[in-house]
Amino acid sequence: MNQRVGIGYDIHRLIKGRKLFLGGVKIPHASGLIGHSDADALLHAVCDALLGAAGAGDIGEHFPDTDVRYKDISSIALLRAVGRIIKAKGCRINNIDSIVILEEPKLKNYKRAMEEAISAALGIKAGQVAVKAKTNEGCGAIGEKKAIACYAVAMLTKKVSK
Ligand code: MG
């Protein structure tokens, strides 16, 4: 068995009138993230952390944004698929940690639901997933409420092939 770590990052622009999805949870807000899929930046960062730890490429390789099959797709479906990919690579998840960087809305009442949605999609316990939120202290595009960025790390255990 060997331990493997992976990192993921994503950023999407905010636009008025679009639904906001983060961590697989629909959050009431005046604006939402723009993207080919539902633009759930947190799930995209988590997918890349898992793929990176498994040595299985990145989200763009597996689900290209030029492919009509992924237009407006729920990113929970992408996360489930990533769960299958890393399992096929002989990996199991120890834990996932993440940060959402945004000025608004406050995520206090949604973080537990996000942890549950992520863990349910991957078939792990909610205690194996952490979602944290921070503001960008008003700096840059995130501070100006033009974008939301997310970071994630994943720790996996991989079976060593004999
Ligand atoms: Mg993305």
Side-chain angles (χ1 to χ4, degrees), residues 16-29:
K16 280 213 171 17
R18 214 173 126 101
K19 289 175 187 149
L20 176 62
F21 290 95
L22 282 170
V25 176
K26 189 173 163 227
I27 296 167
H29 193 48

Side-chain angles (χ1 to χ4, degrees), residues 18-28 31-33 37-43 72-76 114 148 150:
R18 214 173 126 101
K19 289 175 187 149
L20 176 62
F21 290 95
L22 282 170
V25 176
K26 189 173 163 227
I27 296 167
S31 20
L33 298 171
S37 64
D38 64 7
D40 190 324
L42 176 55
L43 294 189
D72 295 324
I73 195 172
S74 163
S75 296
I76 280 285
M114 293 181 200
I148 293 176
C150 300

Side-chain angles (χ1 to χ4, degrees), residues 45-87:
V46 168
C47 284
D48 261 352
L50 292 167
L51 291 169
D58 65 27
I59 193 171
E61 287 172 35
H62 291 282
F63 316 107
D65 64 6
T66 47
D67 191 325
V68 290
R69 281 181 299 168
Y70 307 121
K71 177 100 180 81
D72 295 324
I73 195 172
S74 163
S75 296
I76 280 285
L78 304 182
L79 182 61
R80 278 197 212 105
V82 165
R84 291 191 291 270
I85 292 166
I86 64 166
K87 198 173 175 190

